[in-house]
Amino acid sequence: PDESSVNNNDSPDRSGLSQRSNDGDDGNGRHHSLSSSDVEGNQFSWIIKELANINSKSQMKELLERIRSTDFDLSSFKDMADLDIPIIILMICKDRWIGVGQFYCPMCELTFNNSAALAHHRKACHEDKDTPHEQAAIEYITNMILRWKIEHSVNADLGPKYRCIFPCPVSSCSYMVNRANSLSSHIGSSHIDLVNIRSEVGTFWAMHILHARRTSRLLYIKDVFHDMSGSLCRSCNDFIGKDLLTVRQHSNRSHPHANLEGHNYIAANVFIRTRWMSRGIDDSEIEEANSDLTHEKSNHITQKDIQEVEKSQPIEPRSDDSVDLEARERRRLNEESLRRNRSSGVLRTNERTPDSRLHRDRDDSSSDESEVTGNTDHITSLDLDN
């Protein structure tokens, strides 16, 4: 059961940039940008059409050359906040561009042939080496710092307030997590179209292309980087996923005791707020956030070491609130009911070979432990259904 829920409307808006309005929100935390006629105007409509038809690196480069050589009327964007301007138009206004390619630098226009060369470049030429690529690109374009602040109503220490969050770069998807490898796995299984196009142009421009194809609109910062809700694993206070199901999946993989009969999945609902900050104005908060990110990275390493040790050790019996001590008795009562029904000739409609679902009757009362471990898969599925 969740330990708490956070009212997303109770937290005041303290963002340095204007936040998204309710207009165009799909109800799932994803804001869909306004139509081209509302903001961009007809002078940018050709960009949307060409973006939607791009399939190669050369096509993307040619389009950017055309955009950069075109004289646009930008007067209507002069007094607008960065979050209210499509990213491509924002790049025109600020003359800050991102390179085209799978291994692009998010803080200049350079691209590289492999990830090792890119990592060496970021380490040698740029101060910020750890910010996720697409986030770093947005920070470079806006010349601001984005940090994710965790808010909750749990009366307990849940670890660092600022975390590194990886939202799915597909604007129509609500998936988010604080693990880069989990996001990569999600993209590989759920967004094959993104995988295919990013190998040509890189994830940053792939976001724009897929958004243009799906909505016939230009992509805004707030279409991907916006406030969202999530769930924090209370077993480690480290993992954050988009919901309780994601935390359950994490627990089954990372916490051995979660696979035992009667385990209660304990998670805290959290609200993840985008904090846009400016150097020279928000230096104290930037310093606090960066300190928390360093702490979070240390926690990742510590938790990984703990998990490796736990996987190699016998699981100790637990009697705290993470265990439902009556689960074993309920399971045995259910099995006895199945046996009685079977002996009297009563079958469930979905029960073809009921005996295979039951523990074998044994005279040896010491078989309790083997009964529990032998039925682990069945136990886990029952617990998930509850």
Side-chain angles (χ1 to χ4, degrees):
D2 290 351
E3 285 197 352
S4 67
S5 62
V6 177
N7 187 336
N8 297 353
N9 297 322
D10 290 343
S11 302
D13 183 356
R14 299 183 295 275
S15 174
L17 294 177
S18 62
Q19 298 296 308
R20 69 185 189 280
S21 66
N22 291 329
D23 298 334
D25 198 305
D26 62 4
N28 295 315
R30 288 285 175 181
H31 177 278
H32 297 304
S33 49
L34 300 174
S35 67
S36 57
S37 60
D38 292 331
V39 176
E40 295 99 310
N42 292 331
Q43 63 174 327
F44 300 104
S45 60
W46 63 271
I47 299 179
I48 300 173
K49 295 178 181 178
E50 294 207 16
L51 265 177
N53 293 321
I54 285 178
N55 292 295
S56 69
K57 182 176 181 178
S58 60
Q59 288 177 325
M60 189 70 229
K61 284 187 171 182
E62 290 174 4
L63 175 58
L64 290 181
E65 289 176 1
R66 286 186 58 195
I67 293 174
R68 298 181 71 170
S69 62
T70 302
D71 185 17
F72 295 102
D73 178 11
L74 303 176
S75 58
S76 59
F77 304 102
K78 182 178 179 180
D79 298 322
M80 294 178 64
D82 289 356
L83 290 185
D84 296 325
I85 303 175
I87 297 174
I88 289 181
I89 299 178
L90 190 62
M91 297 172 79
I92 298 172
C93 295
K94 295 179 178 288
D95 195 26
R96 290 196 169 204
W97 299 89
I98 299 298
V100 179
Q102 184 173 5
F103 304 104
Y104 71 93
C105 177
M107 288 168 280
C108 63
E109 296 183 42
L110 296 178
T111 58
F112 300 87
N113 293 327
N114 53 65
S115 59
L118 172 59
H120 176 76
H121 165 77
R122 286 191 68 173
K123 183 176 181 180
C125 301
H126 301 293
E127 179 181 351
D128 187 350
K129 302 178 289 294
D130 301 320
T131 303
H133 259 53
E134 286 63 59
Q135 178 180 328
I138 295 300
E139 291 182 5
Y140 167 70
I141 294 168
T142 61
N143 197 31
M144 298 192 75
I145 302 295
L146 169 60
R147 294 294 180 262
W148 301 91
K149 188 173 183 179
I150 310 302
E151 299 178 354
H152 57 83
S153 61
V154 179
N155 186 24
D157 181 12
L158 300 187
K161 290 190 298 183
Y162 293 89
R163 306 286 187 109
C164 186
I165 300 297
F166 298 86
C168 181
V170 177
S171 61
S172 59
C173 181
S174 61
Y175 183 87
M176 52 72 57
V177 71
N178 68 336
R179 298 284 196 278
N181 58 344
S182 297
L183 175 61
S184 178
S185 177
H186 162 77
I187 292 174
S189 62
S190 302
H191 303 296
I192 300 302
D193 50 352
L194 175 63
V195 174
N196 293 335
I197 194 64
R198 76 175 179 183
S199 63
E200 285 284 328
V201 302
T203 304
F204 180 81
W205 290 113
M207 296 192 306
H208 294 263
I209 293 170
L210 293 182
H211 187 77
R213 289 177 182 174
R214 185 179 62 85
T215 67
S216 297
R217 301 167 182 173
L218 293 178
L219 183 72
Y220 288 68
I221 294 173
K222 56 193 174 185
D223 284 322
V224 176
F225 300 96
H226 54 77
D227 300 346
M228 59 188 76
S229 298
S231 191
L232 171 69
C233 175
R234 289 307 315 274
S235 294
C236 59
N237 282 343
D238 182 41
F239 178 86
I240 297 177
K242 75 165 190 168
D243 51 28
L244 179 58
L245 177 59
T246 311
V247 171
R248 284 179 170 179
Q249 294 169 342
H250 152 78
S251 295
N252 290 337
R253 292 190 304 266
S254 303
H255 304 304
H257 61 267
N259 294 288
L260 294 184
E261 182 177 43
H263 175 74
N264 289 325
Y265 294 90
I266 303 178
N269 290 335
V270 295
F271 184 60
I272 305 167
R273 183 177 294 281
T274 53
R275 294 288 295 127
W276 295 94
M277 296 174 278
S278 299
R279 296 179 182 88
I281 299 176
D282 304 302
D283 288 345
S284 59
E285 186 173 0
I286 293 173
E287 183 179 356
E288 178 188 2
N290 290 342
S291 176
D292 276 2
L293 294 181
T294 301
H295 185 195
E296 182 190 30
K297 185 186 296 185
S298 176
N299 282 352
H300 285 342
I301 297 173
T302 301
Q303 287 299 322
K304 187 174 181 179
D305 292 341
I306 291 174
Q307 290 162 15
E308 290 301 318
V309 172
E310 287 181 342
K311 290 176 182 177
S312 64
Q313 299 293 326
I315 300 176
E316 297 293 334
R318 302 166 70 94
S319 58
D320 55 20
D321 58 1
S322 68
V323 180
D324 180 0
L325 299 178
E326 298 180 358
R328 180 172 175 174
E329 185 61 27
R330 289 198 301 270
R331 184 257 302 166
R332 287 183 166 176
L333 290 174
N334 182 58
E335 291 175 348
E336 286 298 324
S337 175
L338 288 174
R339 288 192 181 97
R340 287 194 301 269
N341 290 340
R342 174 60 175 170
S343 63
S344 62
V346 178
L347 292 179
R348 293 181 178 178
T349 56
N350 64 341
E351 194 172 76
R352 299 304 179 190
T353 55
D355 289 337
S356 65
R357 299 180 56 190
L358 306 178
H359 290 302
R360 289 176 295 174
D361 292 319
R362 297 177 181 174
D363 296 332
D364 185 1
S365 61
S366 64
S367 63
D368 289 350
E369 182 176 350
S370 62
E371 288 181 357
V372 174
T373 57
N375 200 36
T376 300
D377 292 340
H378 177 54
I379 293 166
T380 302
S381 64
L382 283 176
D383 194 46
L384 286 173
D385 291 338
N386 291 334

Short mmCIF file of all heavy atoms in Angstrom, two decimals, residues 3 142 153 158 189 195 216 242 261 278:
data_model
loop_
_atom_site.label_atom_id
_atom_site.label_comp_id
_atom_site.label_asym_id
_atom_site.label_seq_id
_atom_site.Cartn_x
_atom_site.Cartn_y
_atom_site.Cartn_z
N GLU A 3 2.23 4.76 1.18
CA GLU A 3 2.29 5.38 2.48
C GLU A 3 1.65 6.75 2.47
O GLU A 3 1.19 7.25 3.48
CB GLU A 3 3.74 5.50 2.92
CG GLU A 3 4.34 4.19 3.36
CD GLU A 3 5.60 4.39 4.16
OE1 GLU A 3 6.08 5.52 4.24
OE2 GLU A 3 6.08 3.42 4.71
N THR A 142 18.45 27.41 -23.41
CA THR A 142 17.81 28.45 -22.58
C THR A 142 18.80 29.21 -21.72
O THR A 142 18.46 30.27 -21.18
CB THR A 142 16.76 27.81 -21.65
OG1 THR A 142 17.43 26.87 -20.77
CG2 THR A 142 15.69 27.08 -22.45
N SER A 153 4.35 14.22 1.17
CA SER A 153 3.74 14.53 2.47
C SER A 153 4.05 13.45 3.50
O SER A 153 3.38 13.35 4.51
CB SER A 153 2.21 14.67 2.30
OG SER A 153 1.65 13.46 1.82
N LEU A 158 13.12 10.88 3.10
CA LEU A 158 13.09 10.04 1.92
C LEU A 158 14.33 10.25 1.04
O LEU A 158 14.31 9.90 -0.13
CB LEU A 158 11.83 10.31 1.10
CG LEU A 158 10.50 10.06 1.80
CD1 LEU A 158 9.35 10.20 0.82
CD2 LEU A 158 10.47 8.69 2.46
N SER A 189 11.58 -1.09 -25.95
CA SER A 189 10.41 -1.97 -25.99
C SER A 189 9.13 -1.26 -26.42
O SER A 189 8.20 -1.89 -26.92
CB SER A 189 10.19 -2.61 -24.62
OG SER A 189 9.93 -1.63 -23.63
N VAL A 195 13.62 4.68 -31.79
CA VAL A 195 14.89 3.98 -31.94
C VAL A 195 15.41 4.08 -33.37
O VAL A 195 16.60 4.33 -33.61
CB VAL A 195 14.74 2.49 -31.54
CG1 VAL A 195 16.03 1.72 -31.84
CG2 VAL A 195 14.38 2.37 -30.07
N SER A 216 1.36 17.47 -35.77
CA SER A 216 1.47 18.54 -36.76
C SER A 216 1.74 19.88 -36.08
O SER A 216 1.23 20.93 -36.49
CB SER A 216 0.18 18.63 -37.62
OG SER A 216 -0.01 17.45 -38.34
N LYS A 242 7.28 5.81 -12.39
CA LYS A 242 6.10 6.62 -12.69
C LYS A 242 4.89 6.21 -11.85
O LYS A 242 3.97 7.00 -11.68
CB LYS A 242 5.75 6.55 -14.17
CG LYS A 242 5.12 5.26 -14.63
CD LYS A 242 4.49 5.44 -16.01
CE LYS A 242 3.64 4.23 -16.35
NZ LYS A 242 2.79 4.49 -17.53
N GLU A 261 6.55 -14.82 -0.01
CA GLU A 261 5.12 -14.82 0.28
C GLU A 261 4.80 -13.79 1.36
O GLU A 261 5.47 -13.70 2.38
CB GLU A 261 4.70 -16.22 0.75
CG GLU A 261 3.23 -16.36 1.03
CD GLU A 261 2.88 -17.79 1.41
OE1 GLU A 261 3.64 -18.40 2.19
OE2 GLU A 261 1.87 -18.29 0.93
N SER A 278 18.50 30.33 -12.62
CA SER A 278 19.46 31.15 -13.36
C SER A 278 20.74 31.31 -12.55
O SER A 278 20.69 31.56 -11.33
CB SER A 278 18.88 32.53 -13.67
OG SER A 278 17.72 32.42 -14.46
#
